[in-house]
């Protein structure tokens, strides 16, 4: 069965394809020219549903979308649903901006959150959520992953997401946890 991922992010596509491939689901990237809906939801779940619905309507295929981000306790949950738009520029720019906003803050507790919405062929929408707790470092460690991964320290593994092997990250990340829940739901539906 083929699903379209409502994203052009190659990192997300790779992670989702690896995990959902276990069910025989092929995950294709969103075609060029697909409309980018306004992510005006107040929660990760709402934004994921907006994106999945738009992708399904554009392609005619079942669609999967996620909305994910880093929530830092000392910043009142920011960058949160605005993680990808926290500041203009690249991942490195956003990481630098986050570190600047954390200057002088001792509480480094944070979590990655991922909500995934799936619009099935019959129009039913399923939404799941996964979280991974960690700590925000004072500097980048590791070149793997993407986004805030080099700053997100996982105490149980004594390293950042940027240092973890992809197969380990695919087992423990917020996205992996949400995808595991989605996989369990889809087993009964496809």
């Amino acid at each position: 069965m083929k699903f379209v991922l409502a994203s052009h992010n190659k990192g997300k596509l790779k992670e989702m394809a690896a995990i959902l491939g276990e069910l025989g689901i092929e995950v294709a990237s969103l075609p060029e020219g697909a409309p980018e809906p306004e992510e005006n939801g107040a929660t990760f779940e709402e934004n994921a549903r907006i994106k999945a619905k738009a992708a399904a309507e554009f392609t005619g295929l079942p669609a999967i979308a996620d909305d994910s981000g880093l929530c830092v306790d000392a910043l009142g949950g920011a960058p949160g649903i605005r993680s990808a738009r926290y500041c203009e520029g690249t991942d490195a720019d956003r990481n630098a901006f986050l570190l600047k906003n954390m200057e002088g803050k001792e509480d480094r507790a944070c979590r990655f959150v991922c909500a995934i919405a799936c619009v099935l062929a019959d129009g039913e929408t399923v939404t799941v959520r996964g979280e991974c707790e960690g700590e925000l470092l004072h500097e980048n460690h590791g070149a793997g992953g993407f986004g805030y991964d080099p700053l997100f320290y996982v105490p149980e593994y004594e390293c950042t997401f940027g240092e973890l092997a992809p197969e380990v990250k695919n087992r423990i990340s917020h996205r992996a946890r949400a995808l595991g829940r989605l996989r369990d739901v889809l087993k009964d539906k496809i």
Side-chain angles (χ1 to χ4, degrees), residues 12-22 25-27 179:
K12 286 183 184 182
L13 179 65
K14 187 175 179 180
E15 285 182 31
M16 288 196 180
I19 293 169
L20 292 178
E22 297 170 10
I25 295 173
E26 177 190 349
V27 182
L179 280 169

Side-chain angles (χ1 to χ4, degrees), residues 128-173:
V128 295
R129 182 180 178 112
E131 296 186 12
C132 185
E133 298 287 331
E135 299 170 12
L136 193 69
L137 294 183
H138 294 272
E139 61 186 28
N140 291 322
H141 286 266
F146 58 97
Y148 300 101
D149 287 357
L151 292 174
F152 186 78
Y153 182 78
V154 185
E156 306 92 274
Y157 288 85
E158 299 181 346
C159 65
T160 67
F161 269 8
E163 296 169 305
L164 275 176
E167 59 273 9
V168 176
K169 182 182 172 193
N170 284 349
R171 282 196 321 266
I172 68 164
S173 76

Side-chain angles (χ1 to χ4, degrees), residues 55-189:
E57 288 174 356
F58 181 77
T59 63
L61 292 170
I64 299 171
D66 90 319
D67 197 48
S68 56
L70 182 67
C71 299
V72 180
D73 291 355
L75 298 177
I81 63 170
R82 299 199 39 80
S83 290
R85 300 171 302 282
Y86 194 45
C87 76
E88 293 291 324
T90 65
D91 287 346
D93 294 328
R94 282 182 285 282
N95 287 344
F97 185 64
L98 176 60
L99 289 175
K100 183 177 184 318
N101 289 336
M102 286 295 293
E103 286 177 2
K105 299 194 185 318
E106 291 184 28
D107 181 3
R108 308 303 279 193
C110 59
R111 73 209 40 77
F112 268 124
V113 175
C114 176
I116 298 177
C118 179
V119 176
L120 302 172
D122 64 3
E124 178 186 358
T125 301
V126 173
T127 307
V128 295
R129 182 180 178 112
E131 296 186 12
C132 185
E133 298 287 331
E135 299 170 12
L136 193 69
L137 294 183
H138 294 272
E139 61 186 28
N140 291 322
H141 286 266
F146 58 97
Y148 300 101
D149 287 357
L151 292 174
F152 186 78
Y153 182 78
V154 185
E156 306 92 274
Y157 288 85
E158 299 181 346
C159 65
T160 67
F161 269 8
E163 296 169 305
L164 275 176
E167 59 273 9
V168 176
K169 182 182 172 193
N170 284 349
R171 282 196 321 266
I172 68 164
S173 76
H174 54 304
R175 189 168 293 109
R177 291 172 184 183
L179 280 169
R181 290 182 178 109
L182 180 63
R183 184 181 55 222
D184 292 344
V185 170
L186 292 179
K187 281 180 189 176
D188 297 331
K189 297 193 177 285

Side-chain angles (χ1 to χ4, degrees), residues 30-53:
L30 191 62
E32 291 299 321
E36 300 249 353
E38 184 179 352
E39 295 178 45
N40 55 6
T43 65
F44 291 110
E45 289 81 1
E46 288 175 11
N47 284 335
R49 284 191 291 270
I50 289 167
K51 293 186 280 189
K53 184 177 179 203

